[in-house]
Amino acid sequence: MKADLRFTLDLARAGAANAAAGVHAAVTITQRLPAFSAVAMAPFAGAAAAAEVELAMTEKVAAIWLGAIEAGLEWQRFGFALASGAVRPEAVPSRWLAVAEAAAGPARRTVRANAKRLTRPDR
């Protein structure tokens, strides 16, 4: 496959994944807003709301660290491939996009799982 076509397809795939993550984030924020409000109004009133806020913060920090680690690993793969001559110049934009995708992956997985968990009827 030609490099420019591959990059276009990779870019479209990344755009679709970002759009889906935006929808999942909106659902997650909508579902968590009552818990955030409850904790803000009465910090010691609801243990369930406080636990949800703590979970939200913990998940954000974990997604940031995992994204940084995965991006670093992908950047190393790119660097080794570039140093060994395995990457053609026209493939460089796709490899940069792969680094960005690796960084965003943990956040996307987390927000998708949260949207699914928070919209379950048994919750």
Side-chain angles (χ1 to χ4, degrees):
M1 180 182 303
K2 292 177 97 174
D4 56 345
L5 178 61
R6 179 177 177 81
F7 180 65
T8 302
L9 293 175
D10 288 345
L11 201 54
R13 196 173 302 116
N18 287 335
V23 171
H24 292 136
V27 168
T28 300
I29 291 167
T30 302
Q31 294 295 320
R32 280 186 169 160
L33 202 53
F36 288 150
S37 298
V39 170
M41 297 305 238
F44 305 107
E52 186 64 35
V53 170
E54 182 179 346
L55 180 63
M57 297 304 124
T58 304
E59 287 172 343
K60 282 174 185 43
V61 171
I64 289 168
W65 278 106
L66 286 173
I69 290 168
E70 288 186 23
L73 291 172
E74 188 63 36
W75 190 251
Q76 285 180 344
R77 281 188 209 101
F78 173 51
F80 288 136
L82 197 61
S84 68
V87 176
R88 297 186 49 84
E90 60 269 10
V92 170
S94 287
R95 296 302 294 261
W96 284 341
L97 184 60
V99 173
E101 288 293 295
R108 287 186 189 140
R109 287 189 297 271
T110 300
V111 76
R112 182 176 52 239
N114 283 337
K116 186 176 179 180
R117 178 180 60 85
L118 292 169
T119 56
R120 278 195 319 240
D122 63 340
R123 197 180 148 291

